[in-house]
Amino acid sequence: MRKNELRIVHFEFDNIGELQKEDRELVLAARKASKNAYAPYSKFHVGAAIQLENGEIVNGNNQENSAFTSGLCAERTALFYANANFPNVAVKRIAVTAENSSGLVLDPVKPCGSCRQAMIETETRFHKPIRIILDGDDKILVFEGVDSLLPFAFKPDSLD
């Protein structure tokens, strides 16, 4: 038997002003996208913004449904839109934010497992890591690839 240790590296920023310009603009786009979320049940409005390698910005937000499992998260809404409309362009970065009835959430919102899996598929498809920016009022977390969020992911080579 061996004991192994998993190390995850991320960067933490105190506020949006500390981010580099491209990241800051993407977080602001995600915040704007969260305002259009359809969240009548949870009242938890999530926005995502994706920057593609060609510079295009694509937005998404959560879309709830009274049959809860029929809804879709902001991250997958944006990813699927990007992949449907720009099928040959890699995703460079994604910013995710959320608001509740009190405003911007204090702790950065983290993508659910299904969204992490969709991000892994996109990274694998284009053979490029996606920079992930998770926005909160108390701090902003930045990861240099989805493996940091889902280290034991099911990937295409898992099918071999």
Side-chain angles (χ1 to χ4, degrees):
M1 177 178 86
R2 286 184 207 88
K3 179 181 178 183
N4 295 316
E5 185 175 318
L6 179 65
R7 183 171 173 251
I8 296 175
V9 175
H10 69 279
F11 302 92
E12 185 174 316
F13 299 87
D14 291 329
N15 60 62
I16 194 170
E18 293 181 350
L19 295 174
Q20 63 185 22
K21 184 181 179 200
E22 277 188 314
D23 288 351
R24 187 172 48 249
E25 289 172 352
L26 203 61
V27 167
L28 291 174
R31 288 180 181 181
K32 186 176 179 182
S34 73
K35 306 281 187 210
N36 295 325
Y38 180 69
Y41 308 105
S42 71
K43 310 289 191 246
F44 193 72
H45 295 236
V46 182
I50 291 174
Q51 181 187 25
L52 301 174
E53 280 206 333
N54 65 2
E56 188 81 28
I57 303 292
V58 174
N59 298 318
N61 46 47
N62 56 318
Q63 299 295 309
E64 294 182 349
N65 190 292
S66 59
F68 292 130
T69 58
S70 297
L72 194 60
C73 300
E75 299 93 312
R76 282 181 286 152
T77 300
L79 278 170
F80 295 162
Y81 181 89
N83 290 328
N85 289 282
F86 302 93
N88 300 313
V89 183
V91 172
K92 186 174 180 181
R93 65 186 80 226
I94 183 171
V96 183
T97 192
E99 293 184 7
N100 57 28
S101 58
S102 301
L104 184 63
V105 295
L106 295 178
D107 199 38
V109 66
K110 285 87 175 174
C112 74
S114 294
C115 289
R116 293 174 195 209
Q117 187 65 45
M119 284 189 265
I120 283 285
E121 188 71 23
T122 302
E123 273 192 353
T124 303
R125 178 180 178 178
F126 294 104
H127 308 287
K128 294 183 179 187
I130 299 171
R131 183 175 173 90
I132 303 156
I133 307 154
L134 305 178
D135 180 36
D137 201 35
D138 280 351
K139 62 186 168 196
I140 297 170
L141 304 177
V142 177
F143 299 85
E144 296 296 340
V146 187
D147 279 335
S148 294
L149 294 178
L150 192 60
F152 297 103
F154 187 86
K155 297 181 181 181
D157 62 0
S158 301
L159 296 170
D160 295 339

